[in-house]
Amino acid sequence: MAVNCPAKQATLSRTARRCFSLCLCLVGVCLLAADEGSDKSQARPARDASAKPAPQEATSRVAYLIRIPLPIAGDVDTRVEQMVGQLLELLPAGEQRPVLIFEFRAADGQSGEGSKFERSLSLARFLSGQELSRVRTVAYLPNSVQGHAVLAVMACEEIILHPDAKLGRAGIDEAAVDATMRSAYTEIAARRRTIPVPVALGMLDKQLAVYKVQSLDGVRYVLGDEYEKLQQAGNAPIADTVVPPGEFAFLSGFDLRNKYQIASHLATDRRELAAALRLPPGAIIEDPSLGGQWQALLVELRGPVTASYVNRVIRGIEDGRRDRQINFICVLVESAGGSPAESVRLANHLAAFDPAAIRTVAYVPNEARSDAALVALACDQIVMDDEAVLGGPGARYISPRMQKELRTPIQSIAATKHRDWSLLNALVDPQLAVHEFRRPGTGEARYFSDEELAAQKDKEVWQRGAAVDTGDGLTGRKAADLKLVRHLAGSYTELRTLYNLDDELKPVEANQFIVAIERLAAQPWFPHTLLFIGFFALLSEASAPGVGVPGFISALCFLLFFWSQFLNGTADWLEVLLFVAGVVFVLLEIFVIPGLGVFGIGGGLMIIISIVLASQTFVIPQNSYQFGQLPGSLFSIVMAGGGALAALFVMYRYLPNTPYLNRLMLKPPEGDQLDELSQRESLVMWNHLMGKRGVTTTPLIPAGKARFGDDTIDVTSDGDFISRGTDIYVTEVRGNHVVVRAIEGKE
């Protein structure tokens, strides 16, 4: 590989290299300008239901990731080619080249040894071929790679490694390296120029020494024989030994990036990988359906988040994974929160899925408030309606202490999903200050709190911008601008179109009767109707004392009301106990201890309070959402009670005089007939007490007891409060109803 260097040839060579370098600089400037322009443009996710997902995602600056399992053997190369081909069919033919990331990942304890040369060469030729010229190919190595898999790595335009990962030892599985292998490595290295040809051969054959030489013409890599010829010709350049003879070249990520400038970037995780490619966090898409079809499952999270609901959802997901081999989970979130602990439990379960095997998509048609937002944020992608709300105050007030406890699991979820955690945390904790930060020159935008900014390695380069207001949550449009939401979809049909879901999504398997009951209980009109019927039947029973059909219907309706609120997660045993105790106190006031009315008034308040508490998840409203819910809860009580009174009035007023319907209710007696009936139904006649004097034995407010001779009877004052021990006289007697008045001057 030695080259003769006469003066004329050297001059022409230097001139050609300078022209080539100038061209590269001009191309680089153009690409940088185009990249900056694309960074500054803000593309809104598509709203057209007939559009394919790929065009929308491409305009939103995303990258597509395909895993290449190591070792490369069997049909790995053909499966990867099939997956890439399917993806290329979805990509638009635009000016900006989409980014295609190939992640080389081996099983635990391995690093690619055992890869077959023929299979690796086939894949390398495909990756470096004309078919992939329309995309930007990037090889990402989270762990070390050796064996012939190195051939596929160098076939990509760009290499990004974990700092601790190593690349090399390509010929470790070969007893001897033949000319065919050398030719293949030379061909792929020369075609892509990602790894210099001498370095690639040094990785293949441990008998070769590789040197990095520094001369007047610049830096280049040479093999041992060429280096010797340079020395013999009197050109003794400054040399650095890349790999000595007898060893395979096996270079760390740090050396490949900082010492030899072969790797373009270092990245410890996908978040840093996205930053290296100037993409927003979470913009790397891994599609498990490539090479196959979606096997989808629908999970519905409606109403308050409860332990029983989360248990059923998790059980249904695991059953679907076992029985149907699902690779797509759609989580429909329609909730204002409930239990932060249960939301975190479900969020951790969803975040733990490998995106290479199962894609999780959250769909928020209306709201995912408070802790329910964590469930949506734990999915790979989020789809929302324009005006839907993500985060902000919800049905459950989250105290500062609980917000502090939630920070750790939120950071864990964000790390798993390769997102920045500050914006996610601010959706649950509006007191956390989050600002927009931009990188000068690139226009890249990130959203950090001061704590997360301090943890960034390049914190000095970020310029602080405007604060992000999450006090009332984020609408779908705003969340899309902040890159939290992948698409905006106004309907379930549009969601299916976005992800090319041909078949109707199959929901989590559950007892259909229980599901139907829970859906019925979640309807706002259902508990209101139960309250109306319950109050109406209760008033009907009170107007005609005695346990009858109305009393039974009233008890049944209130029982169903509390049961429905149990299912909704808004009622607990406290509400039931308050209601039962309130009813008992009212009955005591009516039948056992009539007097001051404390039991009656207190019992009535307990009944009202129990129903209000059973209609909501809070006791005292503590945020804007709860203050907005409280009038609705009170209004439902007023409307149910008022409607029952109105219906009862109409029934007693008009039903006895309505043809055909009057047989359902007798016309109540009036006038003399009513007085005669009262006299007949009286158990005791106190007519002989008319005008008699006595003494009160209890306060009359206005009812109480008084003693006339040897008899102590129930009496009622004629309107004034009369204290105990006051002299009175009887002013009116109607059967057993005695009306008294205090003797003037004796009270």
Side-chain angles (χ1 to χ4, degrees):
M1 297 181 65
V3 179
N4 295 325
C5 300
K8 185 174 181 179
Q9 282 185 336
T11 302
L12 291 174
S13 177
R14 284 195 297 270
T15 303
R17 282 197 295 271
R18 288 171 181 171
C19 293
F20 181 72
S21 299
L22 179 60
C23 293
L24 285 180
C25 291
L26 292 175
V27 172
V29 170
C30 295
L31 289 176
L32 180 59
D35 200 19
E36 290 179 358
S38 62
D39 277 328
K40 295 178 181 178
S41 62
Q42 295 182 355
R44 177 185 179 276
R47 293 280 300 147
D48 184 7
S50 63
K52 296 288 185 182
Q56 300 170 15
E57 294 168 343
T59 58
S60 298
R61 291 182 54 76
V62 297
Y64 303 89
L65 185 143
I66 294 178
R67 291 194 190 185
I68 298 181
L70 301 181
I72 301 176
D75 62 344
V76 169
D77 57 327
T78 57
R79 285 193 289 114
V80 171
E81 292 176 15
Q82 180 184 5
M83 295 167 67
V84 174
Q86 183 177 346
L87 180 59
L88 291 177
E89 292 179 359
L90 299 175
L91 294 179
E95 296 182 0
Q96 186 176 4
R97 297 172 70 203
V99 178
L100 193 57
I101 302 172
F102 295 95
E103 182 179 284
F104 293 80
R105 184 180 292 272
D108 294 339
Q110 299 182 5
S111 54
E113 58 270 24
S115 296
K116 300 301 181 182
F117 170 71
E118 292 78 7
R119 302 273 67 83
S120 300
L121 177 60
S122 173
L123 181 58
R125 284 177 171 170
F126 173 75
L127 296 179
S128 60
Q130 186 65 29
E131 188 175 358
L132 293 187
S133 61
R134 53 183 291 216
V135 298
R136 173 186 172 191
T137 57
V138 177
Y140 175 53
L141 280 59
N143 304 106
S144 298
V145 173
Q146 59 183 350
H148 288 301
V150 172
L151 195 58
V153 172
M154 70 173 62
C156 297
E157 299 177 50
E158 188 175 341
I159 300 176
I160 300 178
L161 303 89
H162 189 283
D164 298 331
K166 291 186 176 182
L167 178 66
R169 292 182 182 173
I172 193 173
D173 296 318
E174 302 294 339
V177 177
D178 57 26
T180 301
M181 292 181 183
R182 290 191 181 92
S183 175
Y185 276 78
T186 302
E187 174 192 350
I188 299 301
R191 182 184 301 179
R192 275 303 189 196
R193 298 183 180 179
T194 304
I195 297 179
V197 172
V199 177
L201 293 175
M203 292 179 176
L204 174 67
D205 191 349
K206 65 179 180 179
Q207 303 302 323
L208 300 177
V210 182
Y211 299 91
K212 176 184 176 183
V213 299
Q214 178 76 44
S215 64
L216 296 176
D217 296 333
V219 176
R220 59 180 177 141
Y221 295 87
V222 298
L223 295 175
D225 56 350
E226 184 177 358
Y227 179 66
E228 291 178 0
K229 291 180 180 180
L230 289 174
Q231 288 181 318
Q232 293 173 0
N235 299 326
I238 300 174
D240 180 19
T241 303
V242 178
V243 55
E247 297 181 10
F248 286 111
F250 196 46
L251 306 177
S252 67
F254 181 84
D255 288 342
L256 287 170
R257 173 71 183 104
N258 299 308
K259 191 173 182 179
Y260 303 119
Q261 290 76 48
I262 293 176
S264 62
H265 298 87
L266 298 177
T268 58
D269 54 29
R270 290 191 187 177
R271 199 165 29 167
E272 293 187 5
L273 175 62
L277 297 173
R278 296 182 181 178
L279 298 170
I284 298 177
I285 299 174
E286 186 172 7
D287 192 344
S289 73
L290 291 175
Q293 297 294 326
W294 288 124
Q295 299 295 326
L297 180 70
L298 175 64
V299 175
E300 295 182 336
L301 184 62
R302 300 180 185 271
V305 181
T306 63
S308 60
Y309 209 125
V310 171
N311 288 337
R312 188 168 70 248
V313 167
I314 293 177
R315 184 168 56 251
I317 291 175
E318 294 307 311
D319 290 343
R321 293 179 63 192
R322 182 181 63 254
D323 301 335
R324 294 168 43 195
Q325 300 298 314
I326 60 173
N327 59 5
F328 187 101
I329 299 177
C330 177
V331 185
L332 191 152
V333 185
E334 186 64 56
S335 172
S339 171
E342 296 303 324
S343 294
V344 168
R345 184 160 67 95
L346 179 56
N348 284 331
H349 188 81
L350 293 171
F353 291 133
D354 184 354
I358 297 178
R359 172 179 289 184
T360 55
V361 175
Y363 177 47
V364 184
N366 290 298
E367 63 178 5
R369 294 181 177 269
S370 189
D371 55 276
L374 299 179
V375 179
L377 295 168
C379 296
D380 298 326
Q381 298 178 11
I382 303 176
V383 180
M384 295 179 64
D385 185 82
D386 288 19
E387 303 303 324
V389 178
L390 180 68
R396 172 76 178 269
Y397 171 71
I398 302 180
S399 65
R401 178 181 177 182
M402 187 177 297
Q403 289 172 351
K404 185 177 180 180
E405 293 175 352
L406 287 175
R407 180 163 298 187
T408 299
I410 289 175
Q411 291 176 349
S412 176
I413 292 172
T416 303
K417 292 304 174 184
H418 312 290
R419 299 184 180 128
D420 297 325
W421 62 264
S422 296
L423 195 55
L424 277 63
N425 205 130
L427 293 174
V428 181
D429 180 8
Q431 302 303 318
L432 180 66
V434 177
H435 289 77
E436 179 187 55
F437 289 85
R438 287 192 175 272
R439 184 192 294 271
T442 66
E444 179 187 356
R446 304 274 290 275
Y447 302 92
F448 300 132
S449 62
D450 291 339
E451 180 182 345
E452 187 173 15
L453 176 65
Q456 301 301 310
K457 298 179 180 178
D458 54 352
K459 55 180 178 294
E460 296 82 5
V461 305
W462 293 99
Q463 293 184 352
R464 185 185 297 266
V468 181
D469 183 13
T470 61
D472 295 325
L474 299 174
T475 63
R477 189 179 299 278
K478 179 63 176 176
D481 293 339
L482 298 178
K483 308 304 180 185
L484 278 179
V485 168
R486 179 73 66 192
H487 301 290
L488 295 176
S491 66
Y492 179 66
T493 301
E494 188 174 349
L495 171 72
R496 290 176 53 197
T497 304
L498 285 171
Y499 290 94
N500 296 317
L501 299 172
D502 298 329
D503 300 327
E504 188 75 19
L505 292 180
K506 296 182 179 180
V508 168
E509 297 292 340
N511 187 301
Q512 296 303 313
F513 176 75
I514 295 178
V515 172
I517 292 297
E518 288 183 343
R519 289 182 177 178
L520 180 63
Q523 300 298 321
W525 60 266
F526 183 68
H528 296 167
T529 303
L530 290 175
L531 285 178
F532 169 76
I533 298 175
F535 278 122
F536 177 75
L538 181 63
L539 292 174
S540 299
E541 182 66 25
S543 64
V547 179
V549 175
F552 174 78
I553 294 177
S554 176
L556 180 61
C557 288
F558 284 118
L559 178 65
L560 292 176
F561 168 77
F562 282 104
W563 180 60
S564 67
Q565 301 308 78
F566 261 103
L567 294 178
N568 287 334
T570 58
D572 209 334
W573 287 110
L574 172 63
E575 288 79 6
V576 176
L577 292 175
L578 281 175
F579 182 83
V580 173
V583 171
V584 171
F585 288 167
V586 170
L587 294 177
L588 287 175
E589 179 69 28
I590 295 175
F591 297 109
V592 181
I593 49 174
L596 297 176
V598 175
F599 278 89
I601 297 174
L605 289 176
M606 291 172 67
I607 292 174
I608 294 175
I609 292 173
S610 68
I611 294 175
V612 172
L613 293 181
S615 303
Q616 56 198 24
T617 57
F618 53 89
V619 178
I620 300 176
Q622 294 178 290
N623 58 42
S624 58
Y625 179 85
Q626 293 176 350
F627 275 107
Q629 293 293 308
L630 182 60
S633 301
L634 296 176
F635 182 74
S636 64
I637 303 298
V638 173
M639 289 300 296
L645 286 173
L648 192 66
F649 171 78
V650 171
M651 183 181 69
Y652 277 92
R653 178 69 176 83
Y654 297 104
L655 195 61
N657 300 319
T658 303
Y660 301 107
L661 296 180
N662 55 7
R663 298 180 181 180
L664 299 176
M665 177 180 292
L666 297 176
K667 186 176 182 179
E670 298 177 353
D672 295 339
Q673 185 181 5
L674 178 60
D675 293 338
E676 182 182 353
L677 180 61
S678 299
Q679 292 286 345
R680 290 201 308 265
E681 291 183 348
S682 298
L683 298 178
V684 180
M685 302 294 289
W686 300 108
N687 293 337
H688 65 282
L689 295 178
M690 185 64 187
K692 298 292 186 180
R693 294 188 177 193
V695 179
T696 58
T697 59
T698 65
L700 304 186
I701 49 174
K705 294 183 180 295
R707 186 174 66 250
F708 297 89
D710 295 332
D711 297 325
T712 300
I713 64 174
D714 294 327
V715 297
T716 304
S717 77
D718 61 354
D720 297 331
F721 173 81
I722 301 176
S723 61
R724 179 180 178 182
T726 302
D727 293 336
I728 58 173
Y729 69 96
V730 178
T731 61
E732 183 181 355
V733 177
R734 295 193 302 272
N736 61 353
H737 184 66
V738 179
V739 181
V740 300
R741 179 179 298 175
I743 299 175
E744 295 182 4
K746 297 291 185 180
E747 186 177 358

